[in-house]
């Protein structure tokens, strides 16, 4: 049985016919010509961002983006303003998760086990929660936050519309979370068209699959270089230079394996391990793909 007809239809839809046998080098770059940015995600507070930047600086590596995965609703206003101020002073892009409400509300799915419950646990339940999430964003914007990690496709489209209409700031940046499960070119392009300025792909895609996604959309991609045990536990190491080559412009999310992703800020030991992982990835990247240069322009 041939898939030629289906592949032809994919091409007609502006998508690649399949994952390329030889992944092409991406021609996309960040605005300043950089290929990649380093990102750390987790329960990051102002103090941990300071420690990460200070530990990386002597090695000539900068932290480009800090993504707080706990969510604005779990922080006091003064904690958020401290984080905003520190990130601005250090030229670190800040992205705050909206919620996540799915792990805190009264819905039963968060208590269930299995892949079906896990796949939808971060989605918003009902219109009231949608309004609460929009309020979360609006309040954080008032406190100076200009970037958000979004877990729900509906919320993403609403925020993008509010940005386009001038209700939210034009410089607002929206990141589609890996919890949305984007794992193919059509899904990634759909999220970009819904308003995502960067798309976090599923963690287990091989280089050829990533290259196919890059063929479908020019937006920045977010890709994990390593993962905690709960998300597979794999450390990609030698894949990093190839990921940069085929996926640029790309955010390299490094140091996940060192964290347990609780609501607590990373400990001294965890911060040291995060930095060590970034330096390992940077070492391989500089040795095996030296022509790729990091970005140097923040987008708050």
């Amino acid at each position: 049985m041939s898939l030629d007809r289906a592949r032809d239809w994919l091409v007609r839809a502006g998508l690649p016919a399949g994952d390329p046998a030889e992944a092409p080098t991406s021609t996309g770059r960040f605005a300043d010509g950089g290929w990649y940015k380093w990102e750390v995600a987790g329960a990051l507070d102002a103090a941990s961002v300071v420690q990460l930047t200070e530990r990386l600086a002597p090695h000539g590596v900068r932290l480009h983006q800090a993504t707080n995965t706990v969510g604005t609703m779990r922080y006091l206003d003064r904690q958020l303003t401290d984080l905003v101020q520190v990130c601005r002073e250090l030229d670190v892009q800040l992205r705050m998760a909206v919620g996540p409400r799915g792990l805190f509300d009264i819905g039963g799915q968060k208590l269930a086990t299995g892949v079906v419950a896990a796949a939808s646990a971060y989605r918003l339940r009902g219109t009231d929660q949608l309004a609460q999430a929009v309020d979360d964003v609006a309040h954080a914007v008032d406190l100076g936050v200009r970037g958000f990690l979004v877990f729900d496709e509906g919320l993403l489209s609403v925020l993008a519309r509010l940005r386009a209409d001038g209700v939210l700031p034009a410089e607002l940046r929206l990141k589609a979370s890996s919890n949305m499960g984007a794992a193919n070119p059509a899904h990634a392009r759909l999220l970009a068209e819904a308003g995502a300025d960067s798309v976090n792909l599923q963690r287990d895609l091989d280089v050829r699959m990533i290259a196919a996604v890059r063929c479908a959309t020019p937006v920045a991609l977010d890709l994990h270089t390593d993962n905690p045990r709960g998300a597979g536990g794999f450390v990609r190491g030698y894949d990093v230079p190839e990921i940069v080559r085929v996926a640029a412009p790309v955010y390299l999310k490094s140091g996940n394996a060192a964290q347990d992703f609780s609501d607590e800020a990373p400990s001294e030991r965890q911060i040291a391990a995060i930095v060590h992982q970034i330096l390992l990835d940077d070492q391989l990247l500089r040795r095996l793909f030296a022509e790729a240069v990091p970005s140097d322009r923040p987008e708050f």
Side-chain angles (χ1 to χ4, degrees), residues 37-237:
K37 295 185 180 186
W38 293 109
E39 175 184 352
V40 173
L44 303 178
D45 59 6
S48 56
V49 172
V50 170
Q51 291 182 64
L52 286 168
T53 56
E54 289 180 345
R55 287 173 179 254
L56 288 169
H59 303 277
V61 178
R62 67 170 294 182
L63 175 65
H64 295 91
Q65 182 159 282
T67 297
N68 180 288
T69 56
V70 177
T72 60
M73 65 176 285
R74 301 295 294 165
Y75 289 92
L76 298 172
D77 287 357
R78 61 177 172 77
Q79 293 176 304
L80 282 179
T81 54
D82 286 348
L83 185 52
V84 169
Q85 182 177 349
V86 161
C87 286
R88 287 194 175 275
E89 290 174 351
L90 297 174
D91 278 345
V92 175
Q93 299 169 199
L94 174 63
R95 303 293 180 258
M96 291 295 303
V98 185
R101 299 185 179 281
L103 299 184
F104 295 100
D105 69 33
I106 61 173
Q109 288 224 87
K110 69 178 184 296
L111 301 176
T113 58
V115 294
V116 175
S120 60
Y122 283 84
R123 298 317 199 274
L124 299 172
R125 298 173 57 253
T127 311
D128 286 349
Q129 278 198 357
L130 183 61
Q132 291 165 1
V134 172
D135 178 72
D136 237 15
V137 169
H139 181 61
V141 166
D142 290 340
L143 296 176
V145 178
R146 290 296 182 268
F148 294 91
L149 175 64
V150 184
F151 298 93
D152 184 280
E153 293 88 344
L155 176 63
L156 173 64
S157 67
V158 170
L159 296 178
R161 177 63 180 269
L162 293 173
R163 178 177 59 182
D165 289 346
V167 178
L168 291 174
E171 67 270 23
L172 198 73
R173 293 292 176 265
L174 303 173
K175 174 203 281 286
S177 168
S178 60
N179 288 81
M180 292 185 185
N184 63 70
H187 195 174
R189 187 175 69 178
L190 178 68
L191 294 175
E193 291 173 345
D197 299 291
S198 67
V199 175
N200 205 138
L201 298 182
Q202 196 163 291
R203 301 164 186 258
D204 59 352
L205 302 188
D206 66 34
V207 171
R208 293 170 54 246
M209 295 173 183
I210 295 169
V213 171
R214 172 49 70 218
C215 292
T217 178
V219 300
L221 299 177
D222 301 86
L223 297 167
H224 294 80
T225 71
D226 58 283
N227 294 273
R229 290 185 179 180
F234 41 87
V235 178
R236 303 197 68 164

